[in-house]
Amino acid sequence: MLNFLDAYHSLPFAELEVGKHLYWEIGNLKIHGQVMITSWFVIGLLVIASIAATRNVQRVPSGMQNFMEYALEFIRDLAKNAMGEKEYRPWVPFVGTLFLFIFVSNWSGALVPWKIIHLPEGELAAPTSDINTTVALALLTSLAYFYAGLKKLGLGYFAHYVEPVPFMLPFKVIEDFTKPLSLSFRLFGNILADELVVGVLVLLVPLFIPLPVMALGIFLSAIQALIFATLAATYIGEALEDPHHGEEEHS
C-alpha cells in the first residue's frame, strides 16, 4: 500500500497546484495582486474615458462624449424603471458605476491579451473572474439597499420582515443572505466558465473554432453586466417602497 501511494505521488499530475495567486504583503496585510492590477487597469480606462468625454463638451455631442451620454441615458432609464420617477436620481451614479465597472471588466477578459504578461505566480484575467471581486460588488449592493431602506423609512424598514404574517421573518432573513450569494456566484461563474472554455478551445483548436465562442462570450459578458446592474437597481427599488403606500391609496 505504501509503495502504491509513493508511486501515486510521483505522478506528474499529483504535482500540479491549482489556484495559485500573486499576493503582496504589507505588514500583516495580504493583498491579491492579480485582482488589484486588473481592477485598477479597468478603473484607469473608465477615468480616461470620462476625462475624454467631458474635456471639451459640445452642444451637439460626438465621439466619446456621444458614447458616454448614451451610456448615461441608458443607465438612467434602467434605474428609473427599477426605482420609479421620484426615487431613481440619487442612485444613478451607484448603478452606473456597477454597470460600467462590470462591463469593462468582463470585456477586458475577452479582449485584453492578459496571457502575454507573465507574473511570478498566477496569471492575469478579468477582475470579475475572481470570486473576491464579485462578492465585494454583491456586498456593496446589499449595503446600498439596506441604506436606502433605512434612510427613507427608518427602523420601519424592518417591518416588511413580518409582513404579511410574522412567520415570514426567517424566510425574509434567508432572502437577504441569498441575494448577495446569487449575485456574486452568477457573475463569477459565467465569466470564469467563459474564460475556461475559450482557453481550452484555443489550446485544442487554436485557429478558427474559438472565434465564434469568443464573440458569444463578449455578448454574454455585456448581458451579465446588465443583469447585475438591473438586479441591484431592483433590490434598491424594493427597499425604497413604502409597505403602507398601497394601503393608503386603496383606502
Side-chain angles (χ1 to χ4, degrees), residues 57-200:
V57 178
Q58 303 292 328
R59 185 177 294 274
V60 179
S62 61
M64 184 59 69
Q65 180 187 344
N66 190 40
F67 174 77
M68 293 299 284
E69 287 189 9
Y70 173 79
L72 176 61
E73 191 67 29
F74 174 79
I75 293 163
R76 187 181 295 154
D77 289 341
L78 187 154
K80 186 190 297 184
N81 291 333
M83 302 178 200
E85 181 71 34
K86 296 181 179 180
E87 306 285 357
Y88 82 95
R89 292 183 184 277
W91 292 100
V92 169
F94 178 76
V95 175
T97 301
L98 281 179
F99 175 77
L100 291 174
F101 179 79
I102 295 171
F103 181 84
V104 177
S105 294
N106 293 353
W107 273 34
S108 75
L111 300 177
V112 177
W114 293 116
K115 307 297 182 185
I116 65 174
I117 302 175
H118 297 284
L119 300 176
E121 288 185 297
E123 59 184 23
L124 298 178
T128 43
S129 68
D130 189 279
I131 189 65
N132 297 285
T133 302
T134 59
V135 166
L137 294 172
L139 290 176
L140 281 174
T141 302
S142 294
L143 290 174
Y145 71 72
F146 274 116
Y147 170 78
L150 289 170
K151 183 179 181 182
K152 182 177 181 181
L153 304 173
L155 294 178
Y157 167 74
F158 295 106
H160 81 279
Y161 282 88
V162 292
E163 293 178 349
V165 286
F167 72 77
M168 292 298 294
L169 175 62
F171 299 102
K172 295 290 184 72
V173 172
I174 291 172
E175 183 183 6
D176 282 335
F177 280 101
T178 57
K179 281 178 180 177
L181 283 175
S182 62
L183 278 175
S184 57
F185 279 97
R186 181 190 294 111
L187 179 59
F188 162 70
N190 280 281
I191 302 305
L192 180 63
D194 176 63
E195 291 196 351
L196 290 175
V197 168
V198 171
V200 170

Side-chain angles (χ1 to χ4, degrees), residues 14-91:
E15 299 176 359
L16 292 176
E17 293 187 37
V18 179
K20 293 182 69 176
H21 300 290
L22 174 67
Y23 291 104
W24 298 330
E25 294 188 9
I26 303 176
N28 295 326
L29 182 64
K30 214 172 190 181
I31 299 175
H32 199 318
Q34 294 156 247
V35 174
M36 288 293 291
I37 292 171
T38 53
S39 295
W40 280 103
F41 173 81
V42 171
I43 292 169
L45 286 180
L46 291 172
V47 169
I48 291 170
S50 300
I51 293 173
T54 57
R55 186 172 61 174
N56 186 23
V57 178
Q58 303 292 328
R59 185 177 294 274
V60 179
S62 61
M64 184 59 69
Q65 180 187 344
N66 190 40
F67 174 77
M68 293 299 284
E69 287 189 9
Y70 173 79
L72 176 61
E73 191 67 29
F74 174 79
I75 293 163
R76 187 181 295 154
D77 289 341
L78 187 154
K80 186 190 297 184
N81 291 333
M83 302 178 200
E85 181 71 34
K86 296 181 179 180
E87 306 285 357
Y88 82 95
R89 292 183 184 277
W91 292 100

